[in-house]
Amino acid sequence: MRVQVLELIKEYDGIKVLDIEKLSFEKGRIHVVMGPNGSGKSTLLSIIAGLEKAGGGRTAYGDEQHDFERVRKKITLVMQRSYLFNTTVYANIAAGLRYRRLEQSKLRDRVLRCAHAVDLKGLLYRNVRTLSGGEKQRVALARALALQPDLLLLDESTANLDPESIIIIEKVLKDFQREWGATIIFVTHNIFQAKRLADEAYLLMRGRVIETGKSKDFFDNPVSELTRGFLGGDIVY
Ligand SMILES: Nc1ncnc2c1ncn2[C@@H]1O[C@H](COP(=O)(O)OP(=O)(O)OP(=O)(O)O)[C@@H](O)[C@H]1O
Ligand SMILES: [Mg+2]
């Protein structure tokens, strides 16, 4: 599902934290949004996920430019620390599917497949309270994938994971994009991860879009001096 953000303004306590004229996220691609702390990445995702209201402008979904209400079931957000229910891994992954009344045999099949994809199969009947931070993050991801969203939003979703788990998750996301044709927007600080994942790359600073481009152009030949500084590890504000 394509997403367009148009003339978006967001303020907190009179301070503008997002000011974006136009931003497009095309269907079936992996978009990686980077930027320093406080640049507005999470706020942008929350607005696209319908959790926060923008102060001005609009977000349009799909080719028909629907409003959020028409497409909400097709969108899933995985936050930095996603809320999990106090029950087993299996029940957490199944929760959204139960709510949507998916038939039992299909549900089981899908839960097992998603648990397997994120390497959680041995932990299915453990209570999530007994899991490590990284394992919990993988439960949140499996739960999101199980819903088969057309738009998957991820906010620093691999932040506490070890390198091996990160590689697993990156592969899962690429497979999901390819097999399901999902549109993925991934927020990360990790430039190496961004290079591995991105079809399209975006840099936000102080609520503004500094540069967008195809991954290769963005990383190999950035136009903006600020992008060059950011990629080079300088602190730029
Ligand atoms: N609920 C809120 N009330 C007031 N200010 C907020 C609120 N949420 C975010 N902000 C401010 O908006 C700005 C953007 O925050 P946001 O969380 O979107 O940044 P970010 O790019 O995700 O940063 P990080 O890399 O640290 O996660 C920050 O200055 C933040 O302090
Ligand atoms: Mg954030």
Side-chain angles (χ1 to χ4, degrees):
M1 180 164 61
R2 179 183 195 215
V3 183
Q4 281 191 301
V5 170
L6 305 160
E7 296 181 350
L8 179 76
I9 300 280
K10 177 71 181 173
E11 292 184 350
Y12 284 117
D13 310 321
I15 297 168
K16 221 180 253 182
V17 298
L18 281 178
D19 184 355
I20 297 175
E21 196 179 321
K22 185 174 176 191
L23 206 48
S24 294
F25 301 98
E26 298 305 325
K27 179 179 179 336
R29 301 184 70 73
I30 301 185
H31 313 265
V32 176
V33 179
M34 289 161 276
N37 291 138
S39 56
K41 305 180 296 298
S42 296
T43 306
L44 176 64
L45 274 198
S46 297
I47 290 171
I48 294 173
L51 295 178
E52 286 276 351
K53 277 217 173 330
R58 75 182 284 252
T59 310
Y61 303 85
D63 294 334
E64 290 81 23
Q65 304 230 325
H66 288 309
D67 286 335
F68 177 74
E69 292 307 325
R70 287 283 294 273
V71 296
R72 64 184 315 153
K73 283 191 179 156
K74 297 179 176 169
I75 303 176
T76 303
L77 169 68
V78 182
M79 290 191 273
Q80 231 157 337
R81 267 177 228 86
S82 288
Y83 177 80
L84 296 174
F85 303 113
N86 179 18
T87 174
T88 62
V89 170
Y90 185 99
N92 268 280
I93 300 174
L97 300 176
R98 288 232 161 86
Y99 184 70
R100 292 182 189 184
R101 298 179 188 283
L102 190 73
E103 184 190 311
Q104 193 60 34
S105 64
K106 279 191 186 159
L107 180 145
R108 186 169 174 76
D109 181 57
R110 214 187 286 174
V111 170
L112 294 180
R113 233 169 345 111
C114 293
H116 187 67
V118 299
D119 208 18
L120 277 174
K121 230 178 169 182
L123 299 174
L124 276 173
Y125 301 103
R126 284 262 298 273
N127 187 296
V128 292
R129 292 219 167 149
T130 68
L131 300 181
S132 75
E135 289 163 348
K136 281 183 191 153
Q137 252 171 322
R138 284 185 277 148
V139 175
L141 186 67
R143 181 175 63 182
L145 292 172
L147 290 169
Q148 299 186 332
D150 289 338
L151 176 61
L152 178 60
L153 309 167
L154 303 119
D155 193 352
E156 314 242 13
S157 300
T158 59
N160 302 318
L161 300 181
D162 56 58
E164 204 174 312
S165 304
I166 290 178
I167 298 302
I168 292 173
I169 301 297
E170 289 176 2
K171 180 174 181 312
V172 168
L173 292 176
K174 284 185 178 169
D175 289 347
F176 182 66
Q177 170 209 25
R178 204 175 40 243
E179 288 161 20
W180 187 248
T183 305
I184 296 176
I185 307 179
F186 192 100
V187 165
T188 183
H189 279 115
N190 185 329
I191 293 168
F192 297 105
Q193 176 168 50
K195 277 189 185 171
R196 289 193 299 267
L197 268 180
D199 296 315
E200 313 283 335
Y202 300 73
L203 178 62
L204 281 187
M205 278 183 194
R206 295 183 159 189
R208 291 177 180 271
V209 179
I210 301 298
E211 185 154 353
T212 73
K214 299 238 168 302
S215 182
K216 195 162 177 15
D217 300 334
F218 183 96
F219 290 109
D220 294 349
N221 272 314
V223 175
S224 162
E225 198 64 50
L226 292 169
T227 312
R228 280 197 282 273
F230 180 79
L231 295 175
D234 304 343
I235 299 172
V236 275
Y237 283 97

